[in-house]
Amino acid sequence: MKDNLSKRDLYPRVADFYNGKSVFITGAAGFVGMIILEILLRTCPGIKSIYILIREKKGVKPEQRKEQLFQKVIFDRLKAEQPDALDKVRLVSGDVSEPDLGLIEEDTDRIIQDVSIVFHCAADLSFVKSVKNLMGANTMGTYYVVELCKKLKQLEALVYTSTICSNTNRYEMVQEVVYRLPFPSERFFQEFREGTEESMDDLSNQCYPRWPNGYTFNKCLAENILLENAAEVPSAIIRPALVAPIWKAPHPGFCERNSTLILLSEGVGKGFIKVLFVDPDNYIDFVPVDVVANSHIVAAWKVATQRCQVPFVVNCSTYGTLSDTWVHFKNVLIKILSEFSVIPNSFRTGPDCFFTPNPLLYKIVCVYEHYVPAYVIDLLLKFSGKKLRIFFSPITYVIDLLLKFSGKKLRLVRLYDLFDKAMKTATFFTIKRSKYDTTNFRTMEDDLDEADKEIFYTDCTEVPIEKLALSIPTGNDMFDWKSDKRTKESRLKKATQLRRLTQFLKYSFLVIMFTMVYYVTSTVYQLVA
């Protein structure tokens, strides 16, 4: 009787599908990967084991990174309700950018024999690296995962985390399909192995319309790899929009510090970011990370138990359902930040930010708000021969904290240069108004029963930006004073001093500029007269 039942009949509930099975996750230490891991452990108690691939990073061993992962607040609920659940997690050391994922033979054999479902979430998210520099983790890594999946004895589903930006170079509505590149993936592999950064850029530039940066191109190439090399693999591609903090569970408001929304919130809140090249009336396309994770989990169940086009592509976007704009987000953010006299590690007080889609106006305001104070402060640093003294003492500490972007000790001007470089690559998304078909995303819950719709929710049409923004202070350690070596009173005093200093520098700059203009125009007038 059981043999006559379809897989859909065998596994009417999502958790039933995962019972007794093992899962393999790459990028489990990343934002989306860790949320998938937590949800699987908490909502699928019958799961057999979860293998997580973690590499050594900045001298921190995989074992240490695993311990750091489970110390995060999002695992507190799991540890309280199911204290033995973490025993199901199996660490395997490796690196997606290496052949065979850098796995030792013993771990490879265990995965081949045991794993049924694979979530490939690992990626280098840099918007400023070249196409070739990103290919190891983002493209070759996908190829190596596909090759491993072909060896699995009982593979049922492969789910790949792409991005809504993978085809944002197109000006028509982006459909839930893989858009073919003009060259096969092997052509890019060969260039990666034998070519230079310049030759790889030349090859990618032959693909039209052109992509705004190496990251988005690599994501499109990775999707092509799945299309070309995984025809026999039941697979899904999830394309998340801007990943926002957790909406419902397990910890509302939680978000990784390298998330775009958190970086912007932190930069504005600390008084570092004062201007953004953004169309304030443009739609802000965000999706809560728990919705993104649930989309992965449901997609695996769907492609394994139902007839689906392979790969099954999901544009995980709120396009057409929510209408929040960038200026709306800014106003909500400023309202929240204004309730705090100062936040930990603030650069200067007075959270505010100017949005403009005009490139000339953006550059002018950048000079006034960012570079004039930065150049003067850097000159003071240079002539003092020390990092900072007395009045300027908060700056170095705050800058060092903000320098997680680069991992280097940079001066303030170079930090703003780095910010502008990142802003330049992001303007394609903050200015351009993209359109997405979201049929697969909007209908993901259709096959779920009512109980599963509450557990593995993917419908986020009722989550305005206010709800997510209001949860940021309680869900993120950027508001935790334990991260600041100074007391709140001391930080407020220093940040206020620095705000007054930068205001003085900006006003002085305006006086000097107006004086120069007056002098030049007066001289010209006298010569003409």
Side-chain angles (χ1 to χ4, degrees), residues 284-309:
I284 178 171
D285 192 0
F286 68 92
V287 180
V289 68
D290 43 337
V291 171
V292 175
N294 286 335
S295 297
H296 283 70
I297 294 168
V298 173
W301 168 75
K302 192 176 183 72
V303 299
T305 62
Q306 304 174 34
R307 284 183 171 272
C308 296
Q309 180 181 356

Short mmCIF file of all heavy atoms in Angstrom, two decimals, residues 284-309:
data_model
loop_
_atom_site.label_atom_id
_atom_site.label_comp_id
_atom_site.label_asym_id
_atom_site.label_seq_id
_atom_site.Cartn_x
_atom_site.Cartn_y
_atom_site.Cartn_z
N ILE A 284 11.57 49.94 -1.41
CA ILE A 284 12.61 49.18 -0.72
C ILE A 284 12.15 47.73 -0.62
O ILE A 284 11.15 47.42 0.04
CB ILE A 284 12.94 49.78 0.67
CG1 ILE A 284 14.00 48.91 1.38
CG2 ILE A 284 11.70 49.97 1.53
CD1 ILE A 284 14.53 49.55 2.66
N ASP A 285 12.85 46.86 -1.31
CA ASP A 285 12.46 45.46 -1.44
C ASP A 285 13.16 44.65 -0.35
O ASP A 285 14.32 44.31 -0.46
CB ASP A 285 12.85 44.94 -2.83
CG ASP A 285 12.22 43.59 -3.13
OD1 ASP A 285 11.49 43.06 -2.28
OD2 ASP A 285 12.46 43.08 -4.25
N PHE A 286 12.45 44.34 0.72
CA PHE A 286 13.03 43.60 1.83
C PHE A 286 12.17 42.37 2.15
O PHE A 286 10.96 42.36 1.91
CB PHE A 286 13.14 44.50 3.07
CG PHE A 286 11.80 44.87 3.65
CD1 PHE A 286 11.22 44.10 4.65
CD2 PHE A 286 11.11 45.98 3.19
CE1 PHE A 286 9.98 44.43 5.18
CE2 PHE A 286 9.87 46.32 3.72
CZ PHE A 286 9.29 45.54 4.72
N VAL A 287 12.82 41.34 2.71
CA VAL A 287 12.12 40.13 3.14
C VAL A 287 12.72 39.69 4.47
O VAL A 287 13.95 39.56 4.58
CB VAL A 287 12.24 38.99 2.12
CG1 VAL A 287 11.49 37.76 2.60
CG2 VAL A 287 11.72 39.42 0.76
N PRO A 288 11.92 39.45 5.50
CA PRO A 288 12.46 38.97 6.78
C PRO A 288 13.22 37.67 6.60
O PRO A 288 12.82 36.80 5.81
CB PRO A 288 11.21 38.78 7.64
CG PRO A 288 10.19 39.67 7.02
CD PRO A 288 10.47 39.66 5.55
N VAL A 289 14.31 37.52 7.33
CA VAL A 289 15.18 36.36 7.15
C VAL A 289 14.48 35.05 7.51
O VAL A 289 14.78 34.01 6.92
CB VAL A 289 16.48 36.53 7.97
CG1 VAL A 289 16.20 36.47 9.47
CG2 VAL A 289 17.51 35.48 7.58
N ASP A 290 13.54 35.07 8.47
CA ASP A 290 12.82 33.84 8.80
C ASP A 290 11.91 33.40 7.65
O ASP A 290 11.72 32.20 7.43
CB ASP A 290 12.04 33.97 10.11
CG ASP A 290 11.30 35.28 10.25
OD1 ASP A 290 11.70 36.25 9.60
OD2 ASP A 290 10.33 35.36 11.05
N VAL A 291 11.39 34.37 6.88
CA VAL A 291 10.61 34.03 5.69
C VAL A 291 11.52 33.43 4.62
O VAL A 291 11.15 32.45 3.95
CB VAL A 291 9.88 35.27 5.14
CG1 VAL A 291 9.25 34.99 3.79
CG2 VAL A 291 8.83 35.75 6.13
N VAL A 292 12.73 33.99 4.47
CA VAL A 292 13.70 33.46 3.51
C VAL A 292 14.07 32.03 3.88
O VAL A 292 14.10 31.13 3.02
CB VAL A 292 14.96 34.34 3.46
CG1 VAL A 292 16.01 33.71 2.55
CG2 VAL A 292 14.62 35.75 2.99
N ALA A 293 14.34 31.79 5.16
CA ALA A 293 14.72 30.44 5.61
C ALA A 293 13.57 29.46 5.40
O ALA A 293 13.79 28.33 4.93
CB ALA A 293 15.13 30.49 7.08
N ASN A 294 12.36 29.86 5.75
CA ASN A 294 11.20 28.99 5.54
C ASN A 294 11.01 28.66 4.06
O ASN A 294 10.61 27.54 3.71
CB ASN A 294 9.94 29.65 6.09
CG ASN A 294 9.87 29.64 7.60
OD1 ASN A 294 10.48 28.79 8.25
ND2 ASN A 294 9.16 30.59 8.17
N SER A 295 11.29 29.63 3.20
CA SER A 295 11.17 29.39 1.75
C SER A 295 12.13 28.29 1.32
O SER A 295 11.78 27.46 0.46
CB SER A 295 11.47 30.68 0.99
OG SER A 295 10.53 31.69 1.30
N HIS A 296 13.33 28.27 1.87
CA HIS A 296 14.28 27.19 1.57
C HIS A 296 13.74 25.84 2.03
O HIS A 296 13.77 24.85 1.28
CB HIS A 296 15.62 27.45 2.28
CG HIS A 296 16.48 28.49 1.65
ND1 HIS A 296 16.17 29.83 1.64
CD2 HIS A 296 17.68 28.39 1.00
CE1 HIS A 296 17.12 30.50 1.02
NE2 HIS A 296 18.03 29.66 0.62
N ILE A 297 13.26 25.80 3.25
CA ILE A 297 12.81 24.54 3.85
C ILE A 297 11.59 23.99 3.11
O ILE A 297 11.51 22.78 2.82
CB ILE A 297 12.50 24.75 5.34
CG1 ILE A 297 13.80 25.09 6.10
CG2 ILE A 297 11.84 23.52 5.95
CD1 ILE A 297 13.58 25.60 7.50
N VAL A 298 10.65 24.86 2.77
CA VAL A 298 9.45 24.44 2.04
C VAL A 298 9.81 24.05 0.60
O VAL A 298 9.26 23.08 0.06
CB VAL A 298 8.38 25.55 2.06
CG1 VAL A 298 7.21 25.19 1.16
CG2 VAL A 298 7.90 25.80 3.47
N ALA A 299 10.74 24.79 -0.02
CA ALA A 299 11.14 24.48 -1.39
C ALA A 299 11.75 23.09 -1.49
O ALA A 299 11.50 22.35 -2.45
CB ALA A 299 12.12 25.52 -1.90
N ALA A 300 12.56 22.70 -0.50
CA ALA A 300 13.14 21.36 -0.50
C ALA A 300 12.05 20.30 -0.44
O ALA A 300 12.09 19.30 -1.18
CB ALA A 300 14.10 21.22 0.69
N TRP A 301 11.08 20.51 0.45
CA TRP A 301 9.95 19.58 0.54
C TRP A 301 9.17 19.53 -0.77
O TRP A 301 8.76 18.47 -1.24
CB TRP A 301 9.04 20.05 1.69
CG TRP A 301 7.69 19.40 1.77
CD1 TRP A 301 7.41 18.15 2.20
CD2 TRP A 301 6.44 20.00 1.41
NE1 TRP A 301 6.05 17.92 2.14
CE2 TRP A 301 5.43 19.05 1.65
CE3 TRP A 301 6.07 21.25 0.92
CZ2 TRP A 301 4.08 19.31 1.41
CZ3 TRP A 301 4.73 21.52 0.68
CH2 TRP A 301 3.75 20.56 0.93
N LYS A 302 8.98 20.68 -1.39
CA LYS A 302 8.17 20.78 -2.61
C LYS A 302 8.83 20.05 -3.78
O LYS A 302 8.18 19.27 -4.48
CB LYS A 302 7.96 22.25 -2.95
CG LYS A 302 6.93 22.52 -4.02
CD LYS A 302 6.73 24.01 -4.20
CE LYS A 302 5.64 24.32 -5.22
NZ LYS A 302 4.30 24.02 -4.71
N VAL A 303 10.14 20.31 -4.03
CA VAL A 303 10.78 19.68 -5.19
C VAL A 303 10.99 18.19 -4.98
O VAL A 303 11.12 17.43 -5.95
CB VAL A 303 12.14 20.36 -5.52
CG1 VAL A 303 11.94 21.82 -5.86
CG2 VAL A 303 13.15 20.20 -4.39
N ALA A 304 11.04 17.75 -3.71
CA ALA A 304 11.24 16.32 -3.43
C ALA A 304 9.94 15.53 -3.50
O ALA A 304 9.97 14.32 -3.78
CB ALA A 304 11.87 16.15 -2.05
N THR A 305 8.80 16.18 -3.26
CA THR A 305 7.54 15.44 -3.15
C THR A 305 6.53 15.76 -4.25
O THR A 305 5.51 15.07 -4.35
CB THR A 305 6.87 15.73 -1.79
OG1 THR A 305 6.56 17.14 -1.71
CG2 THR A 305 7.79 15.35 -0.64
N GLN A 306 6.80 16.78 -5.07
CA GLN A 306 5.83 17.17 -6.09
C GLN A 306 6.52 17.34 -7.44
O GLN A 306 7.74 17.42 -7.52
CB GLN A 306 5.15 18.49 -5.69
CG GLN A 306 4.48 18.45 -4.33
CD GLN A 306 3.95 19.80 -3.92
OE1 GLN A 306 3.52 20.59 -4.74
NE2 GLN A 306 3.98 20.07 -2.62
N ARG A 307 5.70 17.42 -8.46
CA ARG A 307 6.23 17.69 -9.80
C ARG A 307 6.53 19.17 -9.92
O ARG A 307 5.64 20.00 -9.80
CB ARG A 307 5.22 17.27 -10.87
CG ARG A 307 5.13 15.77 -11.09
CD ARG A 307 4.16 15.47 -12.21
NE ARG A 307 4.21 14.07 -12.59
CZ ARG A 307 5.04 13.57 -13.49
NH1 ARG A 307 5.90 14.36 -14.11
NH2 ARG A 307 5.01 12.28 -13.79
N CYS A 308 7.79 19.51 -10.14
CA CYS A 308 8.20 20.91 -10.27
C CYS A 308 9.16 21.05 -11.43
O CYS A 308 9.89 20.11 -11.77
CB CYS A 308 8.90 21.40 -8.99
SG CYS A 308 7.89 21.41 -7.53
N GLN A 309 9.14 22.21 -12.02
CA GLN A 309 10.16 22.50 -13.02
C GLN A 309 11.51 22.56 -12.33
O GLN A 309 11.64 23.13 -11.23
CB GLN A 309 9.87 23.84 -13.70
CG GLN A 309 10.89 24.23 -14.76
CD GLN A 309 10.56 25.59 -15.39
OE1 GLN A 309 9.53 26.18 -15.08
NE2 GLN A 309 11.43 26.05 -16.26
#
